[in-house]
Amino acid sequence: AVLAPNQSLAAFASAEGGSVIGATRAKADLSPLTDKRARLVALNLGPARSNVDFALVVPHVRNGKADYIVAILRPATLHDLVEIPGQHFMDNIFVISPAQGTFALTHVTTNVRTLVGSMPQSQQATAVTKPVLISDVDYRRAITYDLRDSQIVRVGPIAALPEWQVASVLPLAPAVLKARKGQLLQFVALIAFVFLIGLLASRMSKKASKILRRVSQSAADLTQFEAGQPASDQIFIEEVSEISGTIAIAAASFGRERGALASYQRRLNSIAQHAPIIVYAVDVANGEGTDMTYVSPSLEQMLGYSTAEGLTEKWWSSSIHPDDYDYCMAAFRHLEPGKVYAAEYRLRHKNGSYVWVYDTLSVEPTAQGAEQEAVGIIMDISERKASEDQLLQSDKMASLGRMISGTAHELNQPLNFIKMAASNLRENAVRGRLDAEKFIPKLENVLAQVERASAILLQMRIFGRTSKEAPSAINIQHTVEAAILMAEPQMELDGTQLITEVKASDIYVRALPVMLEQVLLNLFINANDAIHSRHDVGDSAEGEIKITIDRNERSAVIIVADNGPGIPPDVLPKIFEPFFTTKPPKEGTGLGLSISYGIIRDMGGVLRAKSSRKGARFIIELPLADATAIEAA
Ligand code: ADP
């Protein structure tokens, strides 16, 4: 339902046969609706308060006019959005649309509480249990996506408004981040420890039972010997019975230890079976993993294979997605004791589809030296990947949207030129005055313009696709050029100059070109916006964005510097936070830098920002690709 311009919420509710609850508060909140905040209001849309609904009211521009979208939320949906046991989420909920921007929800926690409190008990029950959403996305398994020191929980579309997404953000304290890293290590170490104990104990108990069998055999022989020799020495008999007593005690103690071992094993099996992860062990020889010696039964749940199938030779290496194979092999090469290795890649499910997994492995030093075993866990991360892709795509679309007027302008020029050339040609043809010498250069000019226009369009088309390729060694200069090709028309239109300085050439990094282009475009758009804000306050010095390509010992370095007003010291620490923006809704989503930060981090690099009175500088450092990868490129 959409509010008519100038229609009050109360009028809207009454047109739907209901009324606004908590009227004074909600009304006051709703006028004037000129700022960018979305609001959560309580509505009664049914007769006689039998039907309490909450609505999300989002400012929305339609045909150039301000207007509002009212999405009715079920009470349980509301609950699912605003509360997580033990945490209050209200301050951190956003609704986002690539076209309209990001809207923070207003704080209405106490308001909502009072309203829910004023419902009849039976309704309260349905208002706070069973998280059912108006969208068909299953939110019960919260999707988390790490963005520097925050996580976005539950990204997903609103069913009635397909281009809108709802996201809540939860800050992660640095201590939590550190602890989480530590936890994973501890977890791997714990599992490795339990395995080792198990292994050791079973070897010991095998050895011990062999000894016991031998001793009891000798005891039996001795008894026989005694029976045949009635006059044998009394002391000797006593000794034998003493030995057999000791044997009995030892046997009982071994029995107990075996029991403890069995219960250990049961516990381990239970962990392996019920945790939503696969636990495995591999033999390691000369730093390379060889055969899997154990894989937990949860393999079947996650990937459809039985444990016997998982243990067959080459099962793992042949199940890796071909595009991820080289990366994966490189990640698990040169295994050294005491180190932790990890990679994100795709594994083939028995049904043929691929599942995104996070695989982490640590090698345990053993007493025997040469013989080593690695223990690892595999987690299913496909949901996280899907939500990451959604965010990346929405940021890309927002960037393309920001460049559309420049591109349209760029395409219009050759079109005008072609139009003039064509009409000129036609006129001369009609008059029978075709002079090829004069026209060929003109036509060549037309062709050159068409080629440039189609190069821009092709680059935008490639950029706009959701990419499924694998990273490879790329020449960063080419990527910088591709990003400039896309951004240049808009920058020209805005009077901003893009200058490139190549201090070192032929620098290769391992990356997906489109991802790096996305980062560069975000930086260019931000720089251009910053320059504009300086123009807005009357400073008309020419805008300039300088891109420097360089390298140091281990990294490729790309610097994007602008001569805008710089970043104020109170803003600087926040710019990489998701949804942080100082721009009006249609210009900023607040996602650009946090996504760029994530992209660069995933490539093993760092993205940093510096600011001075001369402007802002963003520095990208990426590890150089190794020689073999460059040869393949
Ligand atoms: P958005 O551009 O949508 O606001 P970003 O995450 O890309 O989101 O940027 C966050 C904020 O960082 C911007 O709103 C702006 O205040 C600041 N910022 C980013 N780049 C620059 C720059 N080159 N100069 C000044 N401020 C910048």
Side-chain angles (χ1 to χ4, degrees):
V2 177
L3 268 184
N6 304 328
Q7 189 185 15
S8 76
L9 195 65
F12 168 80
S14 92
E16 300 275 323
S19 63
V20 178
I21 310 174
T24 46
R25 186 81 186 244
K27 255 189 201 152
D29 272 353
L30 278 171
S31 57
L33 260 172
T34 43
D35 63 56
K36 61 172 276 192
R37 309 214 82 157
R39 286 156 167 86
L40 199 60
V41 294
L43 291 172
N44 176 358
L45 299 177
R49 299 198 63 183
S50 62
N51 193 0
V52 180
D53 281 297
F54 292 92
L56 202 57
V57 181
V58 182
H60 171 68
V61 180
R62 191 179 286 251
N63 305 328
K65 275 200 213 132
D67 175 346
Y68 316 104
I69 296 168
V70 178
I72 309 293
L73 303 177
R74 290 184 199 154
T77 308
L78 170 74
H79 170 254
D80 192 53
L81 276 179
V82 299
E83 281 191 38
I84 273 195
Q87 304 202 27
H88 299 305
F89 250 17
M90 208 49 215
D91 285 354
N92 303 313
I93 299 174
F94 300 87
V95 279
I96 333 157
S97 131
Q100 307 276 341
T102 305
F103 297 89
L105 286 180
T106 38
H107 319 194
V108 289
T109 329
T110 45
N111 217 1
V112 171
R113 289 265 157 68
T114 330
L115 286 163
V116 172
S118 71
M119 293 178 197
Q121 290 241 314
S122 57
Q123 282 173 9
Q124 278 182 18
T126 57
V128 291
T129 53
K130 267 214 289 186
V132 186
L133 265 188
I134 39 173
S135 95
D136 42 15
V137 180
D138 180 5
Y139 283 81
R140 267 168 308 167
R141 294 172 64 189
I143 296 166
T144 61
Y145 172 30
D146 288 353
L147 281 164
R148 203 179 184 208
D149 42 9
S150 316
Q151 57 176 330
I152 295 182
V153 189
R154 302 173 173 150
V155 181
I158 304 175
L161 308 165
E163 81 275 28
W164 289 85
Q165 313 248 344
V166 179
S168 8
V169 179
L170 178 69
L172 273 185
V176 175
L177 277 173
K178 217 170 136 196
R180 220 170 42 174
K181 220 179 200 174
Q183 257 175 5
L184 191 63
L185 273 177
Q186 272 175 8
F187 183 60
V188 173
L190 179 79
I191 295 204
F193 179 72
V194 173
F195 259 102
L196 279 184
I197 296 257
L199 218 72
L200 220 70
S202 88
R203 270 192 205 157
M204 260 168 53
S205 84
K206 256 188 223 150
K207 227 187 244 171
S209 39
K210 221 191 260 169
I211 296 173
L212 277 180
R213 239 180 287 128
R214 232 183 276 149
V215 173
S216 71
Q217 185 59 46
S218 339
D221 289 350
L222 281 176
T223 325
Q224 257 174 13
F225 169 76
E226 178 212 345
Q229 305 248 325
S232 67
D233 194 352
Q234 187 60 29
I235 297 169
F236 183 69
I237 293 171
E238 268 168 25
E239 248 173 35
V240 170
S241 64
E242 203 175 295
I243 288 174
S244 66
T246 318
I247 288 172
I249 291 167
S253 128
F254 269 118
R256 270 199 304 280
E257 267 160 32
R258 272 220 177 139
L261 181 63
S263 94
Y264 243 136
Q265 219 138 24
R266 265 199 309 277
R267 238 176 280 162
L268 180 66
N269 274 345
S270 159
I271 294 176
Q273 212 149 19
H274 302 300
I277 50 167
I278 297 170
V279 181
Y280 64 89
V282 248
D283 275 342
V284 175
N286 304 321
E288 303 286 333
T290 53
D291 295 329
M292 272 207 185
T293 50
Y294 171 83
V295 60
S296 66
S298 45
L299 176 68
E300 181 139 22
Q301 240 170 305
M302 197 185 296
L303 294 168
Y305 303 95
S306 67
T307 47
E309 283 169 306
L311 291 177
T312 51
E313 207 183 326
K314 303 233 158 52
W315 165 79
W316 177 72
S317 53
S318 65
S319 301
I320 300 171
H321 192 290
D323 288 347
D324 300 339
Y325 187 83
D326 292 337
Y327 154 70
C328 210
M329 290 298 142
F332 295 118
R333 198 179 294 154
H334 311 308
L335 302 174
E336 281 174 44
K339 282 200 181 158
V340 177
Y341 300 81
E344 287 184 9
Y345 59 92
R346 286 160 287 181
L347 272 179
R348 197 176 48 243
H349 191 281
K350 199 171 177 182
N351 68 17
S353 64
Y354 280 92
V355 178
W356 268 106
V357 298
Y358 176 75
D359 183 348
T360 175
L361 172 99
S362 79
V363 186
E364 291 314 311
T366 52
Q368 285 95 320
E371 236 176 74
Q372 279 163 351
E373 186 171 56
V375 179
I377 50 181
I378 295 177
M379 285 179 242
D380 181 344
I381 55 162
S382 22
E383 277 192 41
R384 198 197 85 196
K385 279 281 174 195
S387 86
E388 261 177 38
D389 287 349
Q390 240 174 27
L391 278 180
L392 281 176
Q393 196 57 15
S394 113
D395 176 59
K396 268 206 255 176
M397 290 301 132
S399 306
L400 283 181
R402 294 295 308 282
M403 291 182 300
I404 218 69
S405 56
T407 314
H409 185 79
E410 179 80 17
L411 297 182
N412 218 9
Q413 277 179 338
L415 281 180
N416 276 335
F417 183 86
I418 292 166
K419 189 174 151 197
M420 261 162 54
S423 72
N424 204 330
L425 194 62
R426 187 186 56 190
E427 214 159 281
N428 284 313
V430 169
R431 294 191 186 156
R433 279 198 326 214
L434 266 185
D435 179 357
E437 290 220 349
K438 224 164 126 195
F439 269 102
I440 284 170
K442 233 177 215 177
L443 285 177
E444 263 159 16
N445 209 339
V446 166
L447 283 177
Q449 301 231 28
V450 168
E451 257 161 39
R452 175 166 158 80
S454 54
I456 294 175
L457 285 180
L458 177 69
Q459 185 59 42
M460 284 189 143
R461 240 178 48 211
I462 296 172
F463 180 74
R465 277 201 305 245
T466 39
S467 144
K468 295 272 175 270
E469 300 152 53
S472 56
I474 55 163
N475 184 327
I476 53 172
Q477 196 174 331
H478 296 166
T479 311
V480 169
E481 279 161 9
I484 290 179
L485 181 68
M486 281 192 285
E488 211 163 34
Q490 185 66 44
M491 303 290 149
E492 261 169 28
L493 193 66
D494 294 341
T496 304
Q497 253 200 312
L498 281 166
I499 302 169
T500 320
E501 186 185 356
V502 183
K503 283 193 176 166
S505 51
D506 286 332
I507 306 173
Y508 286 83
V509 296
R510 222 182 86 86
L512 278 176
V514 172
M515 293 282 208
L516 194 51
E517 278 164 28
Q518 186 168 358
V519 173
L520 290 167
L521 274 191
N522 278 327
L523 297 183
F524 296 166
I525 291 173
N526 279 344
N528 194 34
D529 284 343
I531 289 166
H532 256 242
S533 71
R534 199 195 54 194
H535 288 173
D536 288 347
V537 295
D539 179 347
S540 61
E542 192 162 313
E544 186 187 295
I545 303 173
K546 187 170 176 192
I547 304 119
T548 312
I549 300 174
D550 202 355
R551 59 169 292 170
N552 57 33
E553 242 167 74
R554 256 170 293 157
S555 312
V557 183
I558 309 173
I559 301 172
V560 178
D562 63 63
N563 63 349
I567 309 167
D570 57 323
V571 171
L572 193 59
K574 293 189 222 147
I575 57 171
F576 293 109
E577 280 173 19
F579 302 116
F580 174 81
T581 180
T582 55
K583 298 174 191 170
K586 274 202 150 182
E587 282 171 28
T589 58
L591 277 177
L593 283 182
S594 58
I595 284 185
S596 303
Y597 186 94
I599 290 176
I600 299 296
R601 181 199 52 199
D602 289 348
M603 290 180 191
V606 279
L607 171 62
R608 286 176 293 136
K610 284 191 176 162
S611 178
S612 71
R613 259 178 298 147
K614 282 193 236 149
R617 253 153 42 104
F618 285 83
I619 301 145
I620 305 172
E621 279 183 59
L622 286 169
L624 294 167
D626 57 34
T628 49
I630 297 171
E631 244 157 62

